[in-house]
Amino acid sequence: MVTVDARGIVLSYNEQAGVLLARVGVGVALGDVAPAWLVEAHLRRVRGGREEPAAWAAGRIGGHRVKALAGPCVGDALTWWLVRDPAPANAARELTRERAKAGLLQELSSELLVSLNVEHCMAVIVQRAARDLADAAVMVGMGDGHCFPVLRCATGGPVGQEWIALDTGQLPGLAEALLGLPAVSSCWIDPHAVPPWAIPEGFVDDAAEIGSVVVVPLPGHGVPTGCLILLRHRQEASFAPAEESFAQLFAARAGAALSVARSHARQAHSTEVLMRDLLPPQLGRVHGICFSGRYRASVAGERVGGDFYDLYPADTPEAETVAVLGDVCGKGLEAAATAGRIRNALQVLLPFVADHTRVLTLLNSALLSTARAPFVTMVLVSAVRQGARVRLRVSSAGHPAPLILRTSGQVEEARTGGTLIGALTELEFRTAEVALEPGETCLLYSDGITEARGGPLGDVMFTEDRLRTVLGQCVGMPAEAVTERVQMIIAQWVGDGPRDDMAVLAISAPPQPSEQQRTTPHEPTRRRWNA
């Protein structure tokens, strides 16, 4: 600060002005100690004019960039406040620090968004906080009000995680941070008040060795996602206000990424719960009858589609086990949802399964009563073991008739047919009686198998004749091997080309054991393991 009268004589100055204007003194002319731009600005202010002169002037004094602000005139004296810009070296260092902080935040975001796994995100947050913000970090996640997930990490150490029943009032600022309220400054937190559960293993022996603590909330998308507790050793410098501000920026990035991960986890869990009833069931042996199914959706990576199969095991060996394979008009999740409703409806209609025509008619009426009646083709099979044989009752509703593989290698078509479901009110069905001898198989399949296009040029349908040939080569194979081979051959035929949903379901009568197998007692296999 320097005060100058109307004649340009210095009346007073402070110590900082004496450093900046080396030859300044009381009674000295301003023009003798100050640069021309400051003298001219002073003359404009004291002489006035038609236009009000600017309050600010700027220029260089020595090696510094200086701004001068004129205060109000008191009599014929005018006070100038001289503000020196930071030295270029200091500005460069500050710019480097800011760039490093921005890079750190960018690295954090990239590392967190690589995986949308909640546990991974939490571990990364506490590790990076311990490494880049403090000597140790503790993350408290959102719990049920009594138990909370707590992750602890000292710089360079592993991340420890456990669920802890804790009192959020034990540490100042913790309860507020978990509610999403602003961070509590470190100057208001006594380091000795840090509870034992908030001290990472190997960091310090007790709270007396902690020098500074900051509690920072982790804001999410509308709701908080937890908080960070940052710890420093007693011999380290306390958290500066700028460091606490940067910690809040760090927490904002971390909280947003964690919120995205939790939202993704909730959606994935909801999808998994809803998908359970849409996925094909796991098949196996039921009352001496072998069942095996394979499914492949039209879209790579999808797990469900318009084709479906299901199995409704009988309560007793004497009762009929019901199997069904069908094809809903459409593809994707919407078709799969329709297939799920049909499977549920069939389960409700099981008490009437002794009469296939009645079951299919009731199902047709149920579909016609919906706002958008889906078209469905399907095959309904009732199977029961009778001695060594398996007796089947097979009814087709607009679906390709099942193929029967005999032990001789001959492939027959079940003599069944009928009207598709969900299109007409007048229906007609023909149920076929099929007896499977030991080792014989009945194969149900969707038209995605026979209409699959592939071959050398990728435009030739697989056709039922090729399917019969493949099935004829499966004599003596168990049901699981039959369905696996059919799907493998079709996959090779289609290659990377487009495809429809594909489903196959095999029903087999187990082969009879040989005379030697019946008379020779089974001995456990013994293996010698070498060290």
Side-chain angles (χ1 to χ4, degrees):
M1 179 189 71
V2 59
T3 302
V4 186
D5 65 12
R7 297 174 300 165
I9 303 300
V10 176
L11 301 180
S12 64
Y13 63 93
N14 63 2
E15 181 180 353
Q16 288 78 9
V19 174
L20 188 61
L21 303 171
R23 296 179 298 156
V24 70
V26 176
V28 176
L30 182 63
D32 294 337
V33 297
W37 64 268
L38 182 55
V39 176
E40 292 173 0
H42 179 71
L43 292 176
R44 286 195 300 269
R45 293 293 299 181
V46 298
R47 291 176 182 175
R50 294 182 179 180
E51 297 182 0
E52 180 69 19
W56 283 96
R60 301 190 71 83
I61 299 178
H64 304 284
R65 178 77 177 173
V66 178
K67 291 182 179 180
L69 172 63
C73 291
V74 180
D76 65 347
L78 177 64
T79 298
W80 287 94
W81 298 88
L82 307 179
V83 182
R84 185 173 61 182
D85 286 347
N90 293 338
R93 286 193 295 269
E94 186 65 26
L95 179 60
T96 300
R97 284 194 293 267
E98 292 301 320
R99 285 177 175 171
K101 291 179 181 179
L104 190 154
L105 294 176
Q106 183 61 42
E107 288 178 10
L108 176 68
S109 298
S110 300
E111 191 171 353
L112 290 175
L113 293 176
V114 165
S115 171
L116 292 178
N117 179 275
V118 175
E119 287 73 18
H120 171 78
C121 284
M122 295 174 70
V124 169
I125 290 170
V126 75
Q127 279 182 323
R128 295 298 298 262
R131 188 187 76 182
D132 300 322
L133 303 180
D135 298 322
V138 179
M139 179 178 175
V140 181
M142 303 306 295
D144 58 6
H146 300 285
C147 290
F148 297 83
V150 177
L151 289 82
R152 297 177 288 259
C153 180
T155 302
V159 176
Q161 179 178 1
E162 61 180 326
W163 279 78
I164 300 177
L166 55 88
D167 178 7
T168 58
Q170 289 179 319
L171 183 64
L174 177 58
E176 293 81 359
L178 292 175
L179 293 175
L181 299 177
V184 175
S185 175
S186 61
C187 65
W188 296 102
I189 303 177
D190 180 7
H192 298 167
V194 176
W197 60 261
I199 301 177
E201 183 178 357
F203 175 56
V204 292
D205 293 332
D206 55 51
E209 299 181 35
I210 300 175
S212 186
V213 182
V214 174
V215 179
V216 186
L218 292 170
H221 294 159
V223 294
T225 59
C227 74
L228 274 176
I229 304 171
L230 306 178
L231 309 172
R232 278 187 176 170
H233 289 292
R234 185 171 56 188
Q235 62 271 25
E236 299 294 334
S238 299
F239 290 96
E243 291 177 313
E244 294 189 26
S245 297
F246 180 70
Q248 294 178 31
L249 293 176
F250 179 99
R253 293 284 184 99
L258 184 57
S259 182
V260 171
R262 285 182 172 165
S263 177
H264 174 77
R266 286 192 294 269
Q267 292 177 3
H269 176 70
S270 299
T271 301
E272 183 66 27
V273 171
L274 295 174
M275 191 72 72
R276 288 172 189 166
D277 290 337
L278 302 182
L279 292 173
Q282 295 292 328
L283 305 184
R285 180 173 293 203
V286 178
H287 299 314
I289 308 171
C290 299
F291 296 90
S292 175
R294 292 287 187 276
Y295 177 79
R296 189 180 182 189
S298 60
V299 180
E302 293 290 343
R303 304 166 64 190
V304 296
D307 288 5
F308 66 95
Y309 60 81
D310 212 340
L311 184 69
Y312 308 96
D315 294 332
T316 63
E318 294 76 20
E320 292 180 320
T321 291
V322 177
V324 62
L325 184 144
D327 184 357
V328 174
C329 179
K331 298 179 181 180
L333 188 58
E334 185 175 353
T338 301
R341 292 195 297 270
I342 293 173
R343 291 165 64 185
N344 291 335
L346 283 171
Q347 190 166 17
V348 174
L349 296 174
L350 285 180
F352 310 106
V353 78
D355 185 347
H356 282 192
T357 298
R358 185 179 182 186
V359 169
L360 296 174
T361 301
L362 290 173
L363 179 61
N364 184 68
S365 299
L367 295 181
L368 288 177
S369 65
T370 61
R372 291 186 301 171
F375 301 145
V376 182
T377 66
M378 59 187 299
V379 175
L380 186 64
V381 179
S382 296
V384 64
R385 182 78 178 263
Q386 293 181 336
R389 292 182 176 183
V390 172
R391 182 177 64 83
L392 305 179
R393 292 189 301 117
V394 184
S395 298
S396 171
H399 201 85
L403 299 178
I404 313 300
L405 173 62
R406 300 300 184 183
T407 53
S408 63
Q410 181 181 358
V411 177
E412 305 172 358
E413 184 178 280
R415 296 184 178 182
T416 179
T419 312
L420 59 83
I421 303 296
L424 304 172
T425 56
E426 297 295 329
L427 305 178
E428 183 178 351
F429 304 105
R430 183 173 69 254
T431 299
E433 297 277 350
V434 177
L436 298 180
E437 299 292 338
E440 295 182 340
T441 299
C442 174
L443 183 71
L444 285 64
Y445 62 93
S446 64
D447 58 10
I449 299 291
T450 54
E451 297 178 3
R453 293 187 177 273
L457 300 179
D459 59 350
V460 179
M461 286 201 304
F462 191 73
T463 70
E464 183 180 318
D465 290 338
R466 287 189 175 88
L467 179 59
R468 285 172 175 264
T469 300
V470 172
L471 186 60
Q473 299 168 352
C474 296
V475 175
M477 291 185 180
E480 295 84 354
V482 173
T483 55
E484 181 66 26
R485 177 168 177 78
V486 171
Q487 282 284 40
M488 180 186 70
I489 295 297
I490 294 298
Q492 293 174 347
W493 179 262
V494 175
D496 296 330
R499 62 177 185 268
D500 197 0
D501 296 325
M502 302 177 187
V504 290
L505 174 63
I507 306 172
S508 298
Q512 289 282 75
S514 64
E515 184 66 26
Q516 181 179 3
Q517 290 174 322
R518 288 195 296 267
T519 58
T520 303
H522 173 72
E523 293 187 7
T525 302
R526 301 178 184 269
R527 291 178 180 166
R528 178 176 297 171
W529 297 92
N530 296 324

